Amino acid sequence: MEIWPGQPYPLGATFNGSGVNFALFSEVAEKVELCLIGDDGAETRIGLTEVDGHVWHAFVPTIQPGQRYGFRVHGPFDPPNGHRCNPAKLLLDPYAKAIDGQIDLDNSLFSYELTDPLKFNEEDSLGHTMLSVVINPFFDWGHDRPPRHEYHDSVIYEAHVKGLSMTHPDVPDNIRGTYAAIGHHAIVDHLVRLGVTAIELMPVHQFVQDTTLQDKGLTNYWGYNTIGFLAPHAAYAGTGTRGQQVNEFKSMVKALHAANIEVILDVVYNHTAEGNENGPTIAFRGIDNASYYRLVDDNKAHYYDTTGTGNSLLMRHPHVLQLIMDSLRYWVTEMHVDGFRFDLAATLARQFHEVDRLSAFFDIIQQDPVISQVKLIAEPWDLGDGGYQVGNFPPLWTEWNGKYRDTVRDFWRGEAASLGEFASRLTGSSDLYAHSARRPIASINFVVAHDGFTLRDIVSYNAKHNEANGEANRDGENHNRSWNCGVEGETENGEINALRRQQQRNFLTTLLLSQGVPMIAHGDEVGRTQQGNNNAYCQDNDLAWIDWELAKRESELLTYTSALVSLRKKHAVFRRRRFFAGDAAHGGKSDLGDIEWFSSDGTEMDELDWRNGYARTLMAFLNGQAIPEPDPHGQRTIDSDFLLLFNAHSAPVDFVLPPAAYGLEWRICLDTTVPEPFNGGQPGWFAASTHPITGRSIVVLQAVPATKV
């Protein structure tokens, strides 16, 4: 076979129409072999003799897309000093753009003898491991353009590729659970009807199945176990795994963009699927363990773990940073995605012990001309010391606001909590973000995400019910801030079910009318349940998938949610680009008058009202005439005035509307006691008039324009 020297860049396998350039970084390697795997499993080994800057490379003419390959790295096997090379292990390319197969956790996958972690294992892993695939990079994108929705106009929909599409009756059976299904008109039409601007997909980077779960009849459903940072997960492709998954993913993005919907990926750059020192050797461990992983300084046989998964990537190593940046740029430039949500993002910022806002990772993101221009969302915590970092990321970033989730859940379950904190969350959490010159869009507001109860389960269960996970209900969060409305689990009691639906509307209304960027979890708009399971990471079945029959039974909730999204889109007062003036602890009240807060008796909130730990009611006046930021054309932004009436008490409370200076007449836009929104609104609520507001409900009033005489 003819072998040319090739080039050290780009890393990975690059097809140019006539052959493939292969390049692999390893500082510790003494010898590297490229292994071409035939359709029959036969292996052809090619020694890479060219080395530039620790990059081993060669060009192989005539190689075509679909070719499977791997590497064997010869070097030191010295675990106490952090080296774990073993040429008996066929290794994935860290830059593989497609991956075929799965590991089976045969003994041959381990670089050491299972009876002795310091003893070299000579068993060959070929036939038991995953294989890298050469792809064809060419694709007809047509007129594809990124939607580029502004943050303040965004409504994010968190979804799982398989869970969203697996049971949809209008999606053909042969593509359910795939990228093609997400791009199918049935799913796209649902997203358009709902009004979301972006779909945030749970991990689609190639991940590894956990055989210990499979032995229990379970599976790694969520996918937070990445092994291929440039490869779309092959199991979500309906057309094949020899590169077809790449084109299928691109077609999905193209279809969503055509519907004006952005694609955001949930990415896991903080660790890999190889686990701790007892894990298998699949890729990085065997290529250059000490360069890719953060090891314990005084015991390099062990990994420094801030993720709870066994390892953490060494974020201060230039080639690790390069891999992450190359991966991010690839997904933007070649796969056309519109942003990223970074799992356990605090880990990415760790240089040594602390979470460093000025870490190298943030530096290179900030200056990158591609990545700095897409949506960047942090999950601002990890499991290490000082890992809860909500509000501490740099200005370019937005963050999942865990404090928003907790405060809103507490308010609607009737906890004695500060009204001031609820007001702060409702108005964009300026107490968390304003100090770093950020704006309300820094807050990704959510009540529900994949990790935890569904919206329906928040109002149906007091305790988790994770028995199906096979861990005797020990896994998952114990403190869920949920309330079952009087009965644990499903019930036929009509009053309780009505209250549960009302509570769901309360949560959705609060979420979608809060300043910041709202995120809805898939299926919450149709009342999806996991039967009290708050940790469905291993449930690749009906328990975690959306039951699309609910869309018929819960059509009122779907209609209500769509109306809420529409109301938000129509009115700038709900999606301001700047914080309200004034003290965040008091919800932003100031002399500017852009927002005013009232007690249920119609008087302005005073210090005692704010500090009343037992208060469950408040009224917010949103002044549509006092929006300081201009519209997209530089003109003054003028909107309607709104009154938001919140009653979290169990019993009705009489609300007195503010005096005439705030509006003479109001019409009802939304009432969470009513399953469907009021089309056009119902007028007849006048200044200083008194109205009973049902317990555990919200009423949204819109000012009726004064009639000119």
Side-chain angles (χ1 to χ4, degrees):
M1 182 179 293
E2 191 174 3
I3 309 297
W4 300 354
Q7 300 294 325
Y9 190 85
L11 291 165
T14 306
F15 174 67
N16 68 358
S18 62
V20 178
N21 191 84
F22 295 92
L24 177 75
F25 162 77
S26 177
E27 189 172 349
V28 74
E30 298 164 357
K31 176 184 175 182
V32 174
E33 293 174 304
L34 168 67
C35 306
L36 304 178
I37 310 301
D39 292 342
D40 59 356
E43 177 184 7
T44 302
R45 299 189 186 185
I46 300 169
L48 302 184
T49 59
E50 298 291 328
V51 189
D52 291 286
H54 305 298
V55 176
W56 303 70
H57 56 90
F59 182 89
V60 186
T62 72
I63 295 289
Q64 294 295 304
Q67 174 67 58
R68 298 182 300 171
Y69 71 99
F71 295 102
R72 296 184 186 272
V73 175
H74 301 251
F77 180 78
D78 184 9
N81 288 305
H83 304 308
R84 296 179 179 270
C85 296
N86 186 333
K89 315 306 161 190
L90 185 67
L91 304 174
L92 279 177
D93 181 357
Y95 280 76
K97 297 179 178 65
I99 293 173
D100 182 46
Q102 268 290 346
I103 64 170
D104 60 11
L105 223 59
D106 183 78
N107 287 348
S108 64
L109 288 166
F110 298 87
S111 62
Y112 63 93
E113 292 287 352
L114 298 183
T115 56
D116 184 354
L118 297 180
K119 188 176 180 181
F120 191 80
N121 181 352
E122 296 182 352
E123 295 179 82
D124 197 323
S125 65
L126 177 60
H128 302 282
T129 192
M130 313 160 79
L131 300 174
S132 309
V133 181
V134 176
I135 71 156
N136 186 342
F138 306 108
F139 180 79
D140 182 9
W141 282 104
H143 299 291
D144 183 71
R145 295 289 185 274
R148 295 195 180 279
H149 295 294
E150 297 286 346
Y151 268 117
H152 65 278
D153 294 328
S154 297
V155 179
I156 298 172
Y157 187 79
E158 187 195 33
H160 187 283
V161 170
K162 194 170 185 180
L164 177 60
S165 64
M166 197 61 191
T167 73
H168 199 294
D170 297 329
V171 174
D173 291 347
N174 64 315
I175 64 168
R176 291 182 181 179
T178 69
Y179 306 120
I182 304 300
H184 189 270
H185 67 83
I187 299 295
V188 175
D189 289 350
H190 176 78
L191 299 175
V192 170
R193 176 188 175 185
L194 192 56
V196 298
T197 65
I199 184 169
E200 182 180 301
L201 294 176
M202 292 175 64
V204 297
H205 289 177
Q206 183 69 47
F207 60 86
V208 170
Q209 285 298 339
D210 187 335
T211 57
T212 58
L213 288 176
Q214 293 177 320
D215 291 343
K216 301 178 184 178
L218 304 170
T219 189
N220 180 357
Y221 171 62
W222 285 351
Y224 292 97
N225 206 23
T226 301
I227 196 64
F229 294 111
L230 286 86
H233 188 58
Y236 297 154
T239 50
T241 59
R242 296 284 191 92
Q244 295 92 336
Q245 60 265 56
V246 177
N247 284 347
E248 190 173 324
F249 184 94
K250 290 177 177 177
S251 295
M252 173 195 73
V253 173
K254 186 177 178 181
L256 289 164
H257 281 181
N260 203 28
I261 296 170
E262 295 179 316
V263 179
I264 298 171
L265 301 187
D266 190 342
V267 291
V268 187
Y269 291 110
N270 49 71
H271 73 279
T272 79
E274 291 185 302
N276 63 16
E277 58 270 16
N278 299 318
T281 296
I282 308 170
F284 309 92
R285 193 194 311 277
I287 295 170
D288 194 335
N289 186 62
S291 292
Y292 278 111
Y293 292 118
R294 186 170 179 187
L295 308 177
V296 177
D297 290 337
D298 57 355
N299 189 353
K300 295 185 183 300
H302 298 283
Y303 293 82
Y304 189 93
D305 179 19
T306 59
T307 64
T309 61
N311 65 58
S312 301
L313 284 172
L314 185 60
M315 296 302 299
R316 61 177 180 263
H317 194 285
H319 276 89
V320 174
L321 290 171
Q322 181 185 1
L323 170 64
I324 293 173
M325 294 304 296
D326 286 348
S327 168
L328 291 169
R329 278 191 293 267
Y330 174 79
W331 285 99
V332 174
T333 59
E334 297 298 320
M335 307 294 265
H336 285 208
V337 305
D338 305 284
F340 305 94
R341 178 263 187 188
F342 292 80
D343 179 65
L344 299 180
T347 292
L348 302 174
R350 289 185 181 270
Q351 296 290 72
F352 298 98
H353 168 80
E354 74 285 353
V355 176
D356 183 0
R357 292 179 62 243
L358 301 177
S359 73
F361 177 70
F362 291 140
D363 284 347
I364 59 176
I365 290 285
Q366 183 74 39
Q367 59 81 41
D368 189 273
V370 175
I371 308 307
S372 63
Q373 300 305 303
V374 302
K375 290 182 169 65
L376 301 171
I377 304 169
E379 182 186 35
W381 49 79
D382 66 14
L383 300 183
D385 292 341
Y388 194 74
Q389 294 291 315
V390 173
N392 289 337
F393 278 68
L396 191 66
W397 291 71
T398 63
E399 302 174 21
W400 272 22
N401 190 345
K403 291 188 178 182
Y404 181 96
R405 170 200 60 208
D406 296 345
T407 301
V408 172
R409 287 190 184 189
D410 278 345
F411 182 80
W412 285 115
R413 69 188 179 117
E415 283 292 292
S418 165
L419 285 181
E421 183 165 5
F422 179 75
S424 189
R425 302 295 158 252
L426 194 70
T427 54
S429 297
S430 60
D431 58 327
L432 300 177
Y433 303 112
H435 67 89
S436 56
R438 289 193 282 176
R439 294 185 172 183
I441 59 170
S443 180
I444 305 296
N445 299 329
F446 68 104
V447 178
V448 170
H450 67 272
D451 190 1
F453 281 146
T454 68
L455 184 61
R456 179 171 166 180
D457 289 355
I458 288 175
V459 302
S460 303
Y461 295 90
N462 284 350
K464 66 185 183 184
H465 296 268
N466 296 353
E467 290 80 6
N469 295 354
E471 299 182 41
N473 205 35
R474 292 188 299 269
D475 63 304
E477 175 62 56
N478 291 312
H479 186 43
N480 294 284
R481 294 181 162 88
S482 59
W483 178 53
N484 63 17
C485 298
V487 173
E488 187 74 356
E490 296 297 311
T491 179
E492 295 182 0
N493 185 307
E495 291 185 4
I496 289 177
N497 283 331
L499 176 58
R500 287 175 176 177
R501 289 187 171 93
Q502 185 170 309
Q503 284 284 71
Q504 290 175 73
R505 292 192 290 270
N506 287 336
F507 281 119
L508 288 166
T509 303
T510 305
L511 173 66
L512 285 159
L513 300 188
S514 294
Q515 308 298 325
V517 182
M519 183 183 77
I520 304 168
H522 79 187
D524 280 350
E525 73 276 19
V526 294
R528 184 174 78 90
T529 178
Q530 292 177 169
Q531 300 173 26
N533 191 315
N534 72 353
N535 191 31
Y537 76 102
C538 56
Q539 300 295 331
D540 188 7
N541 50 50
D542 289 338
L543 185 68
W545 303 338
I546 294 180
D547 176 7
W548 282 99
E549 289 297 314
L550 289 169
K552 301 175 184 176
R553 300 198 300 271
E554 301 290 340
S555 60
E556 288 180 337
L557 182 59
L558 177 57
T559 300
Y560 185 90
T561 308
S562 298
L564 267 174
V565 175
S566 178
L567 181 67
R568 179 184 181 88
K569 286 185 175 181
K570 287 178 182 176
H571 294 285
V573 75
F574 298 123
R575 43 185 179 82
R576 292 167 49 111
R577 292 187 288 114
R578 299 175 187 171
F579 288 114
F580 292 104
D583 185 1
H586 290 178
K589 174 179 167 59
S590 75
D591 294 340
L592 185 61
D594 50 358
I595 188 169
E596 298 281 350
W597 297 93
F598 299 92
S599 299
S600 58
D601 63 4
T603 61
E604 292 187 34
M605 297 271 287
D606 59 24
E607 193 66 29
L608 290 177
D609 293 324
W610 285 114
R611 293 183 177 181
N612 185 349
Y614 298 97
R616 302 286 188 278
T617 61
L618 78 164
M619 191 164 27
F621 169 77
L622 302 180
N623 190 344
Q625 314 300 308
I627 301 175
E629 58 264 29
D631 68 15
H633 304 290
Q635 302 300 307
R636 181 187 175 194
T637 302
I638 299 177
D639 196 8
S640 300
D641 298 337
F642 284 86
L643 273 175
L644 311 182
L645 285 60
F646 298 90
N647 180 15
H649 279 290
S650 59
V653 173
D654 285 339
F655 275 67
V656 180
L657 298 194
Y662 295 93
L664 291 174
E665 185 178 7
W666 302 85
R667 61 162 59 97
I668 302 178
C669 280
L670 294 169
D671 181 346
T672 60
T673 65
V674 180
E676 295 185 0
F678 296 92
N679 293 324
Q682 294 186 0
W685 290 45
F686 296 96
S689 61
T690 301
H691 302 268
I693 303 300
T694 305
R696 299 190 178 97
S697 74
I698 305 171
V699 174
V700 179
L701 302 176
Q702 183 179 3
V704 177
T707 304
K708 294 183 179 179
V709 180

